[in-house]
Amino acid sequence: MSKRLILAACLALPLSACATAVPPVEVTRFHVDNPARAGTIAVEEMPGNPDISLEFRTYAAAVSQEFQRVGFTPAPAGGPSDYVASVSFRRAFRPSGVDRSSDKPVSVGVGGGIGGGGGTFGGLGLGVGINLSGKPKDIVTTELHVQLRRRADSTAIWEGRASTQGRQGTPAAQPGIAAQKLAAALIGGYPGESGRTITVK
């Protein structure tokens, strides 16, 4: 059973720092002919969503913030709402490139002379093996799914998915940055053109 999230403390998430940090986002939206553009809204986890942790709440807060930008009003904590925005997200990892961590290391040689007595010199050689090519970072695909329903009859009036990719360890793969970029791309311009997939930079 869905639990309403209390998101008021999470809404002040900075956007300027991540404006260009994430690669383009692929967005697909579907909606009825004239979906609602105002009313109170509650953001909840989508049934079956595998993650209701702090990371999920980051995505839910970003979705709530973007719906406010297009005209909706957050429902009071514990109070009824006109609409429910059900949210889920997932992250998938796939290898990138060839794993060269088991290759033979690159040999770095250091040679030099040390002076000895009587004008003779002894040679000193030092070989250091360093593997400079480790395992490539995985590519992280992050997807956000949002469905907007009327509370009164549970009818879905708008639905959309957004996805982006980034190499593990880069800003594009960080949950907070990806959440805001995905939510802004998906809900910005609401309701958008139904049935069309677009790329948002």
Side-chain angles (χ1 to χ4, degrees):
M1 180 175 181
S2 295
K3 299 177 182 177
R4 184 173 303 177
L5 299 174
I6 307 303
L7 301 171
C10 304
L11 297 179
L13 298 173
L15 290 173
S16 58
C18 62
T20 58
V22 178
V25 178
E26 188 174 273
V27 171
T28 305
R29 294 172 280 207
F30 299 93
H31 57 78
V32 297
D33 291 340
N34 189 27
R37 295 175 181 268
T40 57
I41 189 170
V43 178
E44 302 177 354
E45 74 270 20
M46 188 172 289
N49 182 67
D51 189 340
I52 55 173
S53 64
L54 179 61
E55 185 174 351
F56 169 76
R57 291 193 290 272
T58 299
Y59 284 83
V63 167
S64 179
Q65 183 171 336
E66 292 303 321
F67 271 121
Q68 290 179 61
R69 291 180 186 274
V70 299
F72 291 87
T73 303
S81 65
D82 299 321
Y83 302 96
V84 178
S86 299
V87 176
S88 72
F89 83 97
R90 69 181 184 91
R91 303 174 77 200
F93 298 81
R94 65 176 174 82
S96 170
V98 179
D99 184 356
R100 305 186 66 86
S101 59
S102 61
D103 288 0
K104 292 182 179 180
V106 177
S107 180
V108 179
V110 179
I114 300 178
T120 62
F121 292 83
L124 172 65
L126 176 63
V128 180
I130 305 174
N131 191 336
L132 301 178
S133 55
K135 181 179 179 181
K137 297 292 186 180
D138 289 345
I139 297 297
V140 182
T141 299
T142 308
E143 181 179 276
L144 175 67
H145 179 201
V146 180
Q147 184 182 76
L148 186 63
R149 295 179 288 110
R150 281 196 298 264
R151 172 79 71 179
D153 58 9
S154 294
T155 299
I157 61 172
W158 182 93
E159 184 170 357
R161 293 180 184 271
S163 64
T164 191
Q165 292 185 340
R167 194 175 297 276
Q168 191 174 13
T170 64
Q174 301 304 310
I177 294 176
Q180 294 206 12
K181 183 75 174 186
L182 289 167
L186 180 60
I187 302 169
Y190 172 90
E193 185 175 345
S194 184
R196 181 186 175 195
T197 298
I198 63 173
T199 299
V200 180
K201 295 183 179 180

